[in-house]
Amino acid sequence: MNLDNHIEKFQKKDIGAFETLYNMYAENICGAINVIVKDSERSQEICQDVFVKIWEKSDQYDPSKGRFFTWILNIARNAAIDEVRSKTYKNQKKNLPVHSLVDIFENSEDLNSKMDTIGLQTLLKGLKEKCILLIDLLYFKGYTQKEAAKELDTPVGTVKTRIRSCISKIRKNMA
Amino acid sequence: MSIDVKEYIASGTLELYVAGELSPEENLEVQHYAIQYPEIRKEIEEIEKTILEITKAASPDIPKDGFQKIRAEISNVIPFAPDRSVNKKVPLGNYLGWAASVILAIGLFWMYTENAKLKSEIELTNQEKQSIEDTLSDTQDRINIKENMLQQIRDKNVTVIALGGQTIAPTSYAKVYWNKEEQKVIIDAQGLPEPPTGFTYQVWSLKLDPLTPTSIGLLDEFRSQDSKLFALENTNESEAFGITLEPEGGSETPTLEQLYTLGAVGA
């Protein structure tokens, strides 16, 4: 059975199909949260809440608005960003840290996040910091093209071509 | 509708599609092409695979019974063991106790769903508020820039030079507001067509005898600049101004066949 079938069944509240989707994407969703939250235990809890939310919102997914993974990734990053905002606000009144993926890439000894930093470093090998930052903003923080351009202080028109070349480099690293 | 698939793939649109950062219209366009061209569909899957790899590498350990916990949380059914001793005489109080707890459970569930509904409404309202605030601050910025330009145009030291359309674009026009004191010009380029991709307008200050053009700048980001007003420096003793279309980055000397508008000072 293919992905579209599982998604269709999941939207009809078929718990078995949902379990299949969970097994397919749990690591990715928990990973995306961990990039932002950087605390593996807390990320696991949020990740579980996110899947409950995905189930509750199952009828809201509209395939004409994008990929299923894009949709759940968006729910996950909103939850992760909410967590960091409320926490940093309480503790230090700081803004959302901007460089999460860059930080992880550079500080391999980050113990709390318990991730596969070697795997991550292999994937991101040879990428310029601006590239990693752009991936972080677009995929992990949900920045729009315009917001990402402002953050990186570059014309909006270059965001598209730049993300293309950044992702292509990772694809070469994967090969 | 047919497109250059290679070029479309190279544009980076599909990367933004996977990130979820395209407009609804662009999303539909991508989906349409993904059905029409298998190469595009495959490319989207490859890009998604890249993000799946990165997020997977960043994943914490996931508990083996992870889904069981979720299943327990989302099951609305309250487990209820059947009473085996149906035939026994049970005091009425027992039934009442059960009934009360069932009602309580239903009540709690109802409150939980109401609460969840309210929470998602609040979330939605907050998102809307944020987007309105963003629009407002954008608009404020734009107004400030325009007001600033208007102030400069109204300065008493400003000379206005009208540039008329030339052979290549007879209907186009532009205006130059030149402040000699401050050595600044503002170009109003509303009457120029959008430059094709890879090209940009370049503004020239001209001396007439002999004809000597000096570049004073490019009208970069023409498309995204909706006021079409551009501020440039001009230290020259200009006798005329002209605007030509040049390859991106500008040229050393004007391409006269691509002269869009021209006008003499004091004419």
Side-chain angles (χ1 to χ4, degrees):
Chain A
M1 208 194 302
N2 67 22
L3 179 61
D4 290 347
N5 289 124
H6 289 305
I7 295 170
E8 210 173 293
K9 283 181 137 187
F10 150 76
Q11 293 203 272
K12 289 178 185 149
K13 298 276 184 215
D14 177 332
I15 202 160
F18 184 46
E19 184 165 8
T20 309
L21 293 170
Y22 173 87
N23 289 331
M24 282 173 79
Y25 294 119
E27 282 182 309
N28 310 108
I29 291 304
C30 299
I33 294 168
N34 203 17
V35 168
I36 309 234
V37 176
K38 286 193 232 167
D39 174 328
S40 76
E41 260 174 53
R42 190 68 194 115
S43 296
Q44 279 172 24
E45 287 166 18
I46 298 169
C47 189
Q48 189 177 327
D49 294 345
V50 163
F51 273 98
V52 171
K53 208 179 257 179
I54 291 171
W55 173 258
E56 284 167 352
K57 289 184 169 182
S58 65
D59 53 335
Q60 288 175 25
Y61 169 61
D62 177 355
S64 76
K65 288 184 182 154
R67 305 273 297 171
F68 179 71
F69 176 65
T70 305
W71 181 68
I72 58 177
L73 179 64
N74 185 42
I75 296 176
R77 69 189 168 206
N78 284 344
I81 289 168
D82 276 354
E83 163 79 9
V84 178
R85 280 226 175 97
S86 64
K87 210 165 110 192
T88 48
Y89 183 76
K90 270 183 224 143
N91 294 349
Q92 303 142 316
K93 303 204 169 181
K94 256 201 299 187
N95 280 326
L96 189 63
V98 209
H99 304 286
S100 11
L101 196 60
V102 182
D103 285 350
I104 292 166
F105 183 57
E106 282 166 0
N107 311 320
S108 49
E109 71 283 2
D110 192 346
L111 291 175
N112 268 341
S113 58
K114 276 194 194 140
M115 51 178 74
D116 175 12
T117 27
I118 296 172
L120 204 56
Q121 284 175 338
T122 316
L123 286 171
L124 302 180
K125 203 170 130 196
L127 263 75
K128 294 212 178 78
E129 182 171 317
K130 269 207 164 173
C131 245
I132 302 177
L133 190 53
L134 187 59
I135 292 170
D136 187 44
L137 295 175
L138 292 174
Y139 293 95
F140 291 90
K141 303 273 167 53
Y143 274 47
T144 62
Q145 267 187 91
K146 211 173 143 190
E147 289 163 341
K150 207 171 167 186
E151 184 70 41
L152 294 177
D153 203 13
T154 154
V156 181
T158 62
V159 170
K160 255 165 107 172
T161 45
R162 194 173 280 177
I163 191 67
R164 168 83 193 157
S165 93
C166 297
I167 296 287
S168 301
K169 271 189 200 126
I170 301 180
R171 283 166 67 177
K172 275 195 201 114
N173 287 345
M174 280 161 64
Chain B
M1 203 170 1
S2 85
I3 49 159
D4 183 336
V5 174
K6 283 224 171 70
E7 200 175 292
Y8 194 72
I9 286 176
S11 71
T13 304
L14 302 179
E15 276 77 4
L16 291 178
Y17 173 70
V18 173
E21 304 303 348
L22 294 180
S23 69
E25 296 78 34
E26 291 171 308
N27 271 332
L28 283 176
E29 186 190 273
V30 170
Q31 262 150 27
H32 177 81
Y33 290 147
I35 295 166
Q36 202 177 348
Y37 303 102
E39 273 171 278
I40 291 185
R41 186 181 172 85
K42 193 163 165 281
E43 184 70 14
I44 293 170
E45 281 163 4
E46 291 294 320
I47 295 164
E48 188 179 276
K49 215 160 94 189
T50 316
I51 303 304
L52 289 172
E53 282 292 319
I54 302 176
T55 47
K56 194 174 152 191
S59 182
D61 294 333
I62 296 177
K64 283 229 160 55
D65 61 343
F67 192 74
Q68 299 321 313
K69 285 188 194 159
I70 293 166
R71 185 196 290 268
E73 208 168 322
I74 64 183
S75 305
N76 301 338
V77 194
I78 300 153
F80 205 119
D83 193 346
R84 283 162 198 280
S85 53
V86 201
N87 294 328
K88 266 205 299 185
K89 277 227 158 193
V90 184
L92 186 63
N94 274 9
Y95 287 120
L96 281 178
W98 278 113
S101 63
V102 169
I103 291 168
L104 180 68
I106 292 170
L108 282 176
F109 176 67
W110 180 78
M111 277 168 70
Y112 169 75
T113 52
E114 282 300 298
N115 189 12
K117 250 193 265 170
L118 283 175
K119 270 191 191 153
S120 75
E121 274 167 27
I122 290 172
E123 198 180 316
L124 205 63
T125 316
N126 277 343
Q127 279 172 7
E128 278 167 7
K129 183 170 155 256
Q130 188 60 42
S131 105
I132 291 170
E133 277 173 4
D134 289 351
T135 319
L136 185 66
S137 101
D138 264 14
T139 313
Q140 197 61 50
D141 287 352
R142 279 213 295 273
I143 290 174
N144 288 344
I145 293 169
K146 281 189 190 163
E147 274 189 350
N148 192 311
M149 290 255 190
L150 189 61
Q151 210 61 47
Q152 290 183 41
I153 287 172
R154 283 178 166 166
D155 193 293
K156 69 173 167 12
N157 294 319
V158 163
T159 317
V160 186
I161 302 106
L163 310 187
Q166 301 300 303
T167 329
I168 185 159
T171 55
S172 62
Y173 62 90
K175 275 184 187 156
V176 176
Y177 299 90
W178 183 19
N179 190 328
K180 278 193 202 177
E181 297 271 299
E182 293 181 19
Q183 303 191 321
K184 268 188 191 162
V185 291
I186 290 176
I187 314 290
D188 179 356
Q190 204 168 24
L192 291 175
E194 275 199 5
T197 323
F199 288 87
T200 181
Y201 287 116
Q202 189 164 8
V203 185
W204 306 87
S205 155
L206 305 167
K207 284 275 211 181
L208 295 179
D209 198 18
L211 187 65
T212 343
T214 313
S215 172
I216 56 176
L218 302 175
L219 307 187
D220 270 338
E221 304 272 318
F222 191 92
R223 220 170 286 242
S224 54
Q225 231 288 26
D226 46 346
S227 74
K228 307 293 180 218
L229 290 172
F230 299 86
L232 300 171
E233 306 257 322
N234 179 26
T235 54
N236 304 294
E237 282 297 320
S238 312
E239 290 169 1
F241 291 93
I243 300 180
T244 59
L245 186 70
E246 305 291 342
E248 220 163 290
S251 304
E252 288 285 312
T253 54
T255 312
L256 288 174
E257 306 78 65
Q258 295 291 339
L259 180 63
Y260 273 60
T261 59
L262 180 70
V265 177

